[in-house]
Amino acid sequence: MRTFIGRNFANPALGVADVCSAVGVSRAIAFREFKSVGGIQCYIMARRLDHAYQVLSRSPEVRGRVSQVAFDSGFTDTGQFSRVFRARFGVPPGVVLGQHVARSDDQRSPDSRSFCSGALRDRRLLFEKYTG
């Protein structure tokens, strides 16, 4: 499932049903597999944000680049992208642009688990609002 998500996270329509049908598992199995990271939608969001961070940090400062990276990472709304990016990394995406610093998984703060469970006040409400 993680491999499928890794290959398809840039698809804005990617959801639980897509993952389950592509991999051939039930929703219950999928939810159990991703329970420790806050669920499938949270995992997809974390993958999108990680990708966006890496691309932005390596990108030159060019007008419109943040929006393009947001769309290329599976976001359809740049406002939503900015809000969740800031919630995850503590800075707006424009600050990361052009840093040319790649952060490894163990250096990200907060990690995917805390992003989904503690960093956001009410993740269910927030992700339902932003991801449909």
Side-chain angles (χ1 to χ4, degrees), residues 53 82-93 95-96 103 109-110:
Y53 185 98
S82 292
R83 283 187 297 277
V84 295
F85 191 96
R86 181 178 281 218
R88 172 77 187 270
F89 299 110
V91 295
V95 170
V96 175
R103 294 167 67 171
S109 178

Side-chain angles (χ1 to χ4, degrees), residues 14 33 62 82 84 86 111 115 118 120-121 129:
L14 181 64
E33 177 70 25
V62 177
S82 292
V84 295
R86 181 178 281 218
D111 67 14
F115 168 69
L120 300 175
R121 284 173 229 103
K129 179 179 177 184

Side-chain angles (χ1 to χ4, degrees), residues 87-126:
R88 172 77 187 270
F89 299 110
V91 295
V95 170
V96 175
L97 186 63
Q99 284 185 348
H100 302 287
V101 177
R103 294 167 67 171
S104 66
D105 287 345
D106 58 343
Q107 292 174 320
R108 282 190 197 113
S109 178
D111 67 14
S112 297
R113 184 173 301 158
S114 64
F115 168 69
C116 294
S117 61
L120 300 175
R121 284 173 229 103
D122 185 347
R123 76 169 191 270
R124 262 188 246 122
L125 178 63
L126 187 63

Side-chain angles (χ1 to χ4, degrees), residues 4 8 16-25:
F4 177 78
N8 296 284
V16 177
D18 301 314
V19 174
C20 292
S21 67
V23 180
V25 298

